[in-house]
Amino acid sequence: MSDDRKGGEARRNVSPTDRPNLLDDDQLRAQLGLALDESDPVPEEAVLTAMSIFDLGDADAELAELMSDSMFNEARFVMRSDVSTEVRSLSFATGSCRIDIELSADGTMLTGQLHPVERAVVQLETTSSRSQFEADDLGRFRFRIERGSLRLRVLFDISSLVTTPWIIW
Amino acid sequence: MVAPLTTITGSRSTRSRLRPTETTGRRLGGEDFNGLVALALARDKAAWEELVERLHKVAWHAIAGFDLGVEDRKDAFASTFCRLYERLDTIREPIKLPGWVATTARNEVRTLLRSRRRDIPSDVVDRRLPSHQPDFAERLMDAELRGALRSAMARLSPACQELLRLLTIDPPLSYGEISTLLGVPHGSIGPTRQRCLERLRETPELRPFLPEAQP
């Protein structure tokens, strides 16, 4: 007996009342949802990463505001269609400081500077790692980076912590 | 220009997945996004994990139609939850979180695609689902139906596929949210949904499963 016929037999052995009525929109939609979930499940490690983001929370940190991003125009949430620069430049600010950064075109390096110039410890955080760099006497810093999500934490002194929003890169 | 790079931490260890009931012994029930957001803001880790548990399918499936590799899709997914955690204290109507997450996930994808310097001819690509290759284990009715549904879905236009994908997300998105996500009039969602479902029923894969075809 062919596999197809076995399948047909299985269908005939099930009472129609046990089967979803696909003429009903809601039932069809529900079955479709199950089918798509099954064929495209969320990877377990991605869910774990999302859950672990909680551990990166900085309850007392001041969140710097994104002031500009060279990938966007002034309306900020409208993509520029003429992006031709090799480097992506972003600027963040709080009431007392500004953080300018550049992401290299090849996606491997982040360089930045603090304004006003201050000695500070700058940390680069991803969803899975944290690196640290002491800004030099001109307030500059740099990190090797990989594609993905990242943000900076800037510790100006023991009681002052500023974080940037997450950047997808 | 500056001193050599330093790294103090290589990577965090993989964490075991903890469910709220295991960590706190209590049940975070219902669709109470209000309560979960408030608890997460109060540094309740179980509440955050429950939020992720309830919203991860929205974030994942809302970006299913984009031309993304798996790693890029995971990056956009992670970034969505980074953004959610970062903005949690600004969420004014937690009941709308599924829509917020879907919108944010799609925005993160667009930013990611742009940062990769890739052309984006259109948001949604014709991502054909793999046709159903039944094996012996799938001779069970449910699996057979789901396989047929996937094959049937693959026959639809990209626009229909995208709409139906958004309409099957759990927790469900409102027509208003879907209208915003797709950039189409609110009033067009219902009739288009109807047409797409009808086309789905008309496919040869699904016909045998319709009541009139059932013995």
Side-chain angles (χ1 to χ4, degrees):
Chain A
M1 185 185 294
S2 75
D3 283 352
D4 284 340
R5 288 196 49 196
K6 282 180 196 167
E9 215 167 60
R11 262 208 302 278
R12 282 191 293 277
N13 289 336
V14 176
S15 158
T17 55
D18 294 336
R19 297 163 59 174
N21 177 7
L22 300 187
L23 292 178
D24 179 282
D25 285 355
D26 289 339
Q27 289 191 43
L28 175 54
R29 199 170 46 155
Q31 289 298 319
L32 187 59
L34 289 174
L36 297 180
D37 273 355
E38 188 178 77
S39 66
D40 186 24
V42 187
E44 181 72 6
E45 68 272 20
V47 179
L48 285 172
T49 298
M51 288 181 170
S52 71
I53 288 163
F54 183 90
D55 299 324
L56 305 177
D58 287 309
D60 300 323
E62 183 176 7
L63 181 65
E65 185 184 356
L66 175 65
M67 306 305 287
S68 65
D69 182 340
S70 61
M71 219 167 64
F72 297 85
N73 69 12
E74 288 181 0
R76 202 176 306 166
F77 293 107
V78 178
M79 291 284 183
R80 280 177 50 184
S81 58
D82 61 340
V83 174
S84 57
T85 54
E86 291 296 305
V87 171
R88 181 178 173 191
S89 307
L90 301 101
S91 184
F92 306 93
T94 67
S96 57
C97 78
R98 198 178 83 229
I99 305 165
D100 293 336
I101 65 170
E102 290 185 354
L103 300 162
S104 65
D106 63 4
T108 63
M109 191 65 71
L110 179 155
T111 54
Q113 189 167 24
L114 305 174
H115 305 278
V117 171
E118 264 190 75
R119 297 306 293 248
V121 171
V122 184
Q123 295 179 333
L124 175 86
E125 198 161 60
T126 71
T127 55
S128 62
S129 68
R130 184 184 287 173
S131 308
Q132 154 166 316
F133 192 94
E134 195 165 331
D136 69 6
D137 55 5
L138 293 175
R140 299 175 302 182
F141 54 89
R142 68 173 175 173
F143 296 95
R144 288 198 184 92
I145 56 173
E146 294 178 354
R147 298 289 190 181
S149 298
L150 59 87
R151 69 170 179 174
L152 294 178
R153 303 169 86 241
V154 185
L155 296 88
F156 287 103
D157 58 53
I158 201 160
S159 61
S160 175
L161 171 63
V162 172
T163 65
T164 68
W166 286 92
I167 305 158
I168 190 164
W169 176 243
Chain B
M1 145 183 147
V2 284
L5 309 178
T6 58
T7 299
I8 58 170
T9 308
S11 66
R12 289 171 194 278
S13 58
T14 304
R15 298 170 53 256
S16 62
R17 187 170 175 178
L18 299 176
R19 299 301 308 275
T21 47
E22 294 165 357
T23 53
T24 65
R26 65 195 156 77
R27 190 72 208 151
L28 297 165
E31 292 297 315
D32 188 12
F33 282 121
N34 282 297
L36 290 174
V37 168
L39 285 169
L41 283 170
R43 299 291 300 154
D44 183 323
K45 186 172 183 175
W48 170 253
E49 291 183 343
E50 182 67 12
L51 278 173
V52 173
E53 192 64 41
R54 292 191 189 187
L55 294 167
H56 70 278
K57 286 185 184 175
V58 177
W60 188 252
H61 292 302
I63 57 176
F66 287 85
D67 185 18
L68 286 175
V70 174
E71 291 309 312
D72 282 352
R73 193 171 170 195
K74 284 187 199 169
D75 281 347
F77 177 86
S79 188
T80 302
F81 284 98
C82 287
R83 196 75 61 211
L84 175 60
Y85 192 79
E86 177 183 291
R87 304 290 169 185
L88 208 53
D89 62 345
T90 69
I91 302 290
R92 296 285 166 252
E93 295 182 89
I95 197 169
K96 294 184 178 173
L97 263 180
W100 189 96
V101 165
T103 304
T104 301
R106 293 164 75 92
N107 286 340
E108 295 299 319
V109 167
R110 293 189 180 106
T111 305
L112 180 147
L113 291 174
R114 175 62 64 172
S115 77
R116 306 288 202 264
R117 305 288 195 272
R118 286 162 55 175
D119 291 331
I120 315 172
S122 64
D123 285 339
V124 177
V125 298
D126 186 358
R127 201 167 89 98
R128 295 290 179 193
L129 296 166
S131 62
H132 182 51
Q133 298 293 332
D135 57 29
F136 183 76
E138 284 188 328
R139 292 304 177 191
L140 296 169
M141 274 305 302
D142 287 352
E144 195 175 7
L145 171 58
R146 289 198 289 272
L149 279 163
R150 284 193 289 273
S151 299
M153 177 88 156
R155 286 182 180 269
L156 302 186
S157 67
C160 261
Q161 289 188 31
E162 182 71 347
L163 177 62
L164 291 182
R165 240 185 244 120
L166 294 177
L167 282 166
T168 56
I169 282 178
D170 176 34
L173 305 178
S174 69
Y175 277 15
E177 289 165 338
I178 291 173
S179 141
T180 305
L181 290 173
L182 297 180
V184 298
H186 184 290
S188 74
I189 303 284
T192 310
R193 167 194 133 141
Q194 202 57 42
R195 272 197 296 278
C196 293
L197 288 177
E198 278 163 17
R199 281 178 194 159
L200 198 66
R201 290 188 185 103
E202 288 164 4
T203 57
E205 288 85 357
L206 229 52
R207 278 182 180 281
F209 292 91
L210 298 179
E212 65 267 31
Q214 292 173 354

